[in-house]
Amino acid sequence: MIETPSLVDQYCHGVLRTELGLGTFEAHLGHTEGPPAPGTTLFDTQTGFAVRRWCPPLLGLEPHCAPARYLARRRELGVQESGRRLLRGSGITTYLVDTGLPGDLTQPGELAGAGAAQAREIVRLELLAEQVADTSGSVESFLANLAESVHAAAAHAVAFTSVAGVRHGLALAPEPPGPGEVRGAAGRWLAGRGVGGELSDPVLLRHLLWSAVASGLPLQLHAGLGAPGPRIDRTDPVLLTDFVRATAGLGTDLVLLHGYPDHRQAAHLAGVFPHVHVDCGAALVRTGAGAATVLAEILELAPFGKILFSTGARGLPELHVVGARLFREALGRVLGTWVAEGSWSLADAQRVAGMLASGNAHRVYGLDQGLSCADVRAMPRDVGMIQATGPG
């Protein structure tokens, strides 16, 4: 058996503070641009089935129970108690939280308290620029305040993240824009936006990316079909190749988030470039029972020290549970098969499992390496082991 007692969720969001009805709960099960088609339900997806398999037992119900029964139990316990049980049952000990989404979502400290875990903040570059623009009266003040805000964020955040690919596409010019180019783009954007207007100007997106690179913090880049957006047709990770080359040797690690269904391309970039890492989490949540196949494909191309676990969860604590469980299940099937075949030793499988689960994230993000005995004892008894006997 392979022990993985500590999971670092290297990219996620907070959970909703409000109670949810069936329709609202379903809306958070998938990344859709509207409600499910008439006569269908988002519970009939790989993610929905995974929720029904792994979450009911944490709330005292049988696996695979009907959605209505599950949500009734959730309401009976209340949003805080059900969230506490689910988060603590996930086996996640550290959350790295992107706080850049709108809505009534918990902040990192609240997520840590509910999950009896640690949490650190990831700062979303585009939201930071939008907030600065809302309070700046001129182009000069906007650019000065933006530089100051990036510097201040770098002092407390564990990483920056960017949705430039979703907003504009990843085929951005790789070099940093010049000062005149930035001032011109800022003037046009500020003149045409209202309060809260989204940033999608390619020059300013590049300026943000290079500001983050200059900070030295890891930079997470959304790629693949991670979320709806105007440019999901331009999110193939290979489009980042020129930017990746331009940032090589500058001391900033790049982490390619989501990736699916282009996870092999993301894994290839991680294999070629020393400063590139690949996320394996959101792809597993979307593929559910097929998660082991996707994980094996990532392991084909990316060095094992360059692969990081995440859930990509947003809104529902259930998504933290299924993200963690599907990762453990997929890891157990893939590595267990290789051990059973004699291709890998059990010792190597356990070492690699620890790297993917938490070790790589500790190294990339400079996290505290310590895990107290009390933290280990507080973990659910059934979440720390992976069978090394192959699929069964």
Side-chain angles (χ1 to χ4, degrees):
M1 302 186 73
I2 301 170
E3 296 185 18
T4 55
S6 175
L7 285 179
V8 174
D9 188 347
Q10 67 107 24
Y11 183 80
C12 66
H13 304 276
V15 300
L16 290 163
R17 299 186 180 96
T18 52
E19 196 60 75
L20 303 177
L22 177 60
T24 312
F25 188 94
E26 273 199 79
H28 287 86
L29 272 181
H31 298 305
T32 64
E33 295 193 6
T40 71
T41 170
L42 291 177
F43 274 101
D44 285 343
T45 59
Q46 289 284 3
T47 303
F49 271 41
V51 167
R52 290 179 50 225
R53 167 60 183 93
W54 299 114
C55 296
L58 296 175
L59 303 188
L61 298 172
E62 69 279 6
H64 308 295
C65 71
R69 175 170 167 76
Y70 176 76
L71 292 178
R73 175 59 173 164
R74 205 178 188 272
R75 289 191 296 271
E76 177 187 333
L77 290 171
V79 65
Q80 291 187 344
E81 176 62 16
S82 59
R84 186 188 69 84
R85 293 189 185 193
L86 290 163
L87 291 172
R88 297 188 181 196
S90 71
I92 296 169
T93 57
T94 303
Y95 299 94
L96 306 188
V97 187
D98 174 1
T99 56
L101 285 182
D104 189 23
L105 298 174
T106 55
Q107 294 300 301
E110 297 172 273
L111 194 65
Q118 300 179 23
R120 299 286 301 277
E121 183 182 8
I122 300 167
V123 172
R124 183 174 290 207
L125 290 167
E126 291 79 13
L127 177 65
L128 186 66
E130 290 154 8
Q131 291 172 334
V132 170
D134 287 340
T135 58
S136 299
S138 67
V139 171
E140 290 73 19
S141 65
F142 166 70
L143 293 176
N145 293 339
L146 180 60
E148 183 178 341
S149 296
V150 170
H151 179 74
H156 74 268
V158 73
F160 286 109
T161 191
S162 172
V163 289
V166 178
R167 296 280 183 88
H168 181 270
L170 293 175
L172 293 162
E175 68 278 357
E181 195 178 1
V182 172
R183 280 195 298 272
R188 291 189 296 272
W189 181 56
L190 293 173
R193 78 183 290 271
V195 173
E198 286 192 350
L199 173 59
S200 60
D201 180 90
V203 172
L204 294 180
L205 292 174
R206 287 163 54 210
H207 177 63
L208 286 174
L209 292 177
W210 281 100
S211 297
V213 169
S215 78
L217 286 185
L219 173 59
Q220 301 175 337
L221 298 164
H222 291 244
L225 304 182
R231 292 274 54 111
I232 60 173
D233 58 328
R234 301 181 185 176
T235 57
D236 189 324
V238 297
L239 296 174
L240 282 167
T241 302
D242 288 341
F243 178 75
V244 167
R245 285 200 176 98
T247 55
L250 299 181
T252 294
D253 286 321
L254 305 180
V255 183
L256 306 183
L257 296 177
H258 310 319
Y260 186 81
D262 302 313
H263 50 284
R264 286 189 180 214
Q265 290 92 312
H268 169 72
L269 290 175
V272 171
F273 296 99
H275 65 306
V276 177
H277 301 73
V278 62
D279 167 48
C280 70
L284 306 188
V285 174
R286 296 185 69 151
T287 51
T293 299
V294 174
L295 180 60
E297 290 172 347
I298 294 172
L299 288 164
E300 286 177 6
L301 294 168
F304 310 136
K306 310 288 285 300
I307 304 170
L308 298 93
F309 159 75
S310 79
T311 64
R314 56 182 290 182
L316 302 179
E318 284 83 358
L319 298 179
H320 292 280
V321 174
V322 299
R325 179 61 74 167
L326 288 170
F327 170 74
R328 292 182 184 277
E329 290 289 310
L331 198 62
R333 284 181 176 271
V334 174
L335 302 190
T337 296
W338 295 344
V339 170
E341 293 173 346
S343 302
W344 282 35
S345 71
L346 181 59
D348 278 340
Q350 179 162 331
R351 182 172 59 86
V352 170
M355 291 162 61
L356 272 61
S358 60
N360 293 339
H362 276 289
R363 186 188 72 254
V364 171
Y365 297 105
L367 304 177
D368 178 12
Q369 299 290 329
L371 183 66
S372 71
C373 294
D375 289 333
V376 175
R377 285 197 298 270
M379 294 177 191
R381 293 288 297 276
D382 64 335
V383 299
M385 302 293 187
I386 296 176
Q387 294 284 348
T389 55

